[in-house]
Amino acid sequence: MSTAAIQQQPNITSTTANKNKRWRGFSLEGENHTANANFPLRITGPSVWDGKELEGQPEKWLYHLTSEDIDDIDQAMKHFLSLDLPLTNITPDTFPLQHFQKVVKKELNNLFNGLGFGLLRGFPISRYEREEQAIIFMGIGSYIGIRKPQNGKGHVLGHVKDLTENSTTKKVYHSDDPTTRIYATRKAQPFHVDGADVVALICLSEGQEGGLSSIISSHTVYNRLQELRPDIVELLKQPWLWDRKGEHAVGEAPYLAASPLTYYKDHLFTFWGPHFFETVNRFPDVTVEEEKFEAMRYIQELCEREALSMNLKVGDIQFVQNYQILHARTGYLDAPGQTRHLLRLWFTVNAKDVGWEMPFEQDEYNYNYQYAKKQVVPLEAE
């Protein structure tokens, strides 16, 4: 197969028009908030944890792959290659793991019924060519859920890599363009969630310096805000406007209203993306209250103080559940021969498998960027 972008079958989309009108899991029509719900005063359980404490307890969230695990993954990759199928045909059936699937399923359970994140370490990803790397990552991920396009181009395999001015590889975007997605820059990423149930990263190469990964439980953040700034909690229950970064269909609004906090079926859901909020006032008809910017700054400072930080090493696979985990990255520097490069996957999980009911989705398992006509697996960043 070519190392160019591989375009595959059309997206699976709902036949119901209302289910097609979605962005990042939110409806483009109706209300995306539960401000009148009975929010708890505090969240309790394993989803509430102290980041600095967990930094010193890696055995609770770090799994070291064994030689048997690596052999299992390798044979599944070779089996898929033998089928000569497009990469979007990677499923548990075409990427058959034996015992290692139990490890992945344990991670999935932990994502929704435990800490909300996990890290797999020790896979020798550098042994493999790029296509094989993609097959391995997508194959392991197929046991988590359905891959979801990450942008309007239909990319189901994302590349976290600098593609702006002074890139060590190529320039595609301007870092100061408000529509440039921040994962394509070297900039620090503030604490945020991604537009999927689960996000996974695998590290292919590290940069010269920086790029520290940090995570924090949004349930812990909620509890801290209830103690320190309950006014911000009330503000977060109301709809905020989010810039869609130009990734919207003709005739759709370029921004969306959704509440940062949603309480639904005994679960607290968090939607948080400063990168999508801080540029929404570029639209002439939008005015953003200063109190929301102040709340955003306060939350960022709180997260920076209390988050768990980790260096992603080559071969590390990180899983994060987006409804209860905020993640961030420090800015970084590349150098010739030291270019930071991660692959990324977004997943929609089967709510019945994880025991959660998702708000706003109307039981739609395959919600997507509805105007992305094909699923695309680019083997290089673009």
Side-chain angles (χ1 to χ4, degrees):
M1 297 182 187
S2 169
T3 58
I6 302 176
Q7 297 194 7
Q8 310 295 356
Q9 74 258 19
N11 283 342
I12 302 171
T13 55
S14 171
T15 58
T16 304
N18 287 337
K19 290 184 178 181
N20 278 339
K21 296 181 178 180
R22 307 197 168 279
W23 180 74
R24 292 180 166 241
F26 291 106
S27 172
L28 299 181
E29 298 177 345
E31 296 184 338
N32 289 305
H33 69 91
T34 57
N36 295 324
N38 186 21
F39 283 74
L41 291 177
R42 291 184 62 82
I43 304 295
T44 59
S47 67
V48 178
W49 42 262
D50 184 298
K52 298 309 177 187
E53 183 178 295
L54 275 187
E55 275 188 13
Q57 301 172 328
E59 69 279 2
K60 292 186 176 181
W61 49 270
L62 176 61
Y63 175 84
H64 291 274
L65 272 72
T66 66
S67 58
E68 290 79 13
D69 295 332
I70 294 168
D71 289 344
D72 196 4
I73 295 167
D74 185 76
Q75 66 80 25
M77 182 273 295
K78 290 175 179 176
H79 175 81
F80 179 81
L81 279 175
S82 74
L83 301 177
D84 195 27
L85 293 171
L87 297 191
T88 48
N89 283 51
I90 296 174
T91 67
D93 288 336
T94 59
F95 190 89
L97 292 171
Q98 303 305 316
H99 70 274
F100 189 67
Q101 67 173 281
K102 296 178 182 177
V103 174
V104 182
K105 290 300 184 181
K106 185 177 180 180
E107 289 292 326
L108 177 60
N109 180 64
N110 180 54
L111 291 177
F112 285 88
N113 301 294
L115 297 176
F117 76 98
L119 188 73
L120 308 181
R121 174 161 288 171
F123 188 78
I125 195 67
S126 299
R127 292 183 192 171
Y128 298 88
E129 300 296 327
R130 179 58 48 77
E131 182 182 2
E132 295 171 332
Q133 293 172 339
I135 292 169
I136 288 166
F137 187 39
M138 294 170 69
I140 293 172
S142 69
Y143 289 83
I144 295 291
I146 290 178
R147 292 180 297 274
K148 179 185 175 186
Q150 303 173 31
N151 53 35
K153 298 176 182 178
H155 291 177
V156 293
L157 180 67
H159 292 258
V160 180
K161 187 178 184 180
D162 178 38
L163 296 178
T164 61
E165 53 272 17
N166 300 317
S167 168
T168 57
T169 53
K170 61 181 178 180
K171 176 185 174 182
V172 179
Y173 308 106
H174 291 280
S175 61
D176 58 354
D177 185 332
T179 65
T180 296
R181 299 280 289 274
I182 200 167
Y183 62 79
T185 77
R186 299 183 302 277
K187 292 180 179 180
Q189 286 188 301
F191 284 88
H192 65 285
V193 303
D194 285 1
D197 298 343
V198 173
V199 58
L201 296 170
I202 186 169
C203 181
L204 301 184
S205 57
E206 300 177 65
Q208 184 181 38
E209 65 177 75
L212 185 69
S213 175
S214 297
I215 58 175
I216 190 168
S217 164
S218 63
H219 294 181
T220 300
V221 173
Y222 176 85
N223 288 348
R224 295 289 282 143
L225 290 175
Q226 287 284 43
E227 297 167 5
L228 302 170
R229 290 290 304 272
D231 60 309
I232 291 181
V233 174
E234 294 306 310
L235 191 62
L236 296 177
K237 295 177 184 178
Q238 305 302 322
W240 291 34
L241 297 182
W242 309 94
D243 186 352
R244 297 176 68 191
K245 301 293 184 182
E247 294 186 334
H248 58 283
V250 175
E252 290 182 352
Y255 52 84
L256 174 138
S259 168
L261 290 181
T262 296
Y263 195 69
Y264 183 76
K265 301 289 186 179
D266 298 322
H267 290 288
L268 181 70
F269 293 77
T270 308
F271 179 77
W272 191 244
H275 181 56
F276 292 89
F277 176 73
E278 61 191 5
T279 60
V280 75
N281 58 3
R282 68 190 176 97
F283 301 108
D285 58 333
V286 171
T287 301
V288 179
E289 305 92 326
E290 174 56 31
E291 63 179 342
K292 291 182 177 177
F293 283 110
E294 190 274 330
M296 184 178 69
R297 292 190 293 269
Y298 186 90
I299 291 170
Q300 178 66 21
E301 292 169 0
L302 172 63
C303 291
E304 289 175 354
R305 290 195 305 270
E306 302 194 10
L308 180 160
S309 295
M310 64 182 80
N311 279 308
L312 296 182
K313 303 178 183 297
V314 174
D316 281 0
I317 301 175
Q318 183 190 68
F319 293 108
V320 169
Q321 193 255 78
N322 277 301
Y323 300 123
Q324 68 188 56
I325 300 292
L326 305 178
H327 61 281
R329 180 198 75 199
T330 61
Y332 65 92
L333 295 176
D334 285 335
Q338 290 181 285
T339 298
R340 188 176 191 269
H341 190 183
L342 289 78
L343 300 182
R344 183 175 72 176
L345 292 169
W346 281 4
F347 299 104
T348 300
V349 303
N350 190 326
K352 295 177 181 178
D353 288 346
V354 298
W356 285 40
E357 292 187 51
M358 308 299 180
F360 312 133
E361 295 173 21
Q362 301 177 1
D363 297 323
E364 176 62 72
Y365 185 22
N366 295 308
Y367 67 87
N368 266 323
Y369 279 88
Q370 74 275 11
Y371 56 94
K373 302 302 181 185
K374 290 183 179 294
Q375 291 189 4
V376 183
V377 182
L379 296 182
E380 297 296 338
E382 59 180 47

